[in-house]
Amino acid sequence: MKVLIYLTLGALFGGTVGYLYATSISNDRNEDIIKREITLLNKYSNIPSCEDLRGNNDSLTQNFEDGDHILWSYISKENLLKKVVISSDFVVAYEAVEKICE
């Protein structure tokens, strides 16, 4: 009977510690991904001009030497400029800003 109680307590303790460890690792990874996305968005903060966007049917693609790509898309009905940055290691960051092109 004592052995059964010890086994049950050990399993509960081990399961709790394992769950907390896995959760903390997951939170650390999420924070790292968010930091990488913010870094990508801040790295490429220059917004293309309205003429550049209009000349390419309201979309523009920029490729950089380090393997990063930026996809710009302008939605004139909503006055939104959407930016998607894809890094060379496949981190994707998305941002939408208001921009009025007339």
Side-chain angles (χ1 to χ4, degrees):
M1 186 67 172
K2 237 184 198 183
V3 173
L4 184 60
I5 291 173
Y6 285 138
L7 285 175
T8 305
L9 288 175
L12 288 173
F13 180 73
T16 303
V17 169
Y19 171 76
L20 292 175
Y21 179 73
T23 303
S24 69
I25 288 176
S26 176
N27 289 340
D28 290 343
R29 286 183 183 161
N30 290 341
E31 289 177 6
D32 182 51
I33 290 171
I34 291 170
K35 286 178 190 175
R36 291 172 71 190
E37 289 176 358
I38 290 172
T39 302
L40 267 179
L41 290 174
N42 291 334
K43 183 178 178 183
Y44 302 108
S45 59
N46 56 337
I47 296 175
S49 67
C50 291
E51 293 81 21
D52 290 341
L53 291 168
R54 295 285 184 190
N56 290 306
N57 296 325
D58 292 342
S59 66
L60 185 65
T61 302
Q62 296 175 327
N63 300 316
F64 295 93
E65 291 178 9
D66 60 355
D68 294 350
H69 304 282
I70 301 179
L71 309 171
W72 298 93
S73 178
Y74 179 68
I75 302 171
S76 56
K77 293 178 183 176
E78 300 174 9
N79 291 326
L80 277 180
L81 179 63
K82 296 182 178 183
K83 172 174 72 170
V84 177
V85 182
I86 305 170
S87 71
S88 57
D89 57 346
F90 298 107
V91 174
V92 178
Y94 168 82
E95 181 179 35
V97 295
E98 185 174 352
K99 181 173 176 88
I100 299 173
C101 290
E102 295 186 23

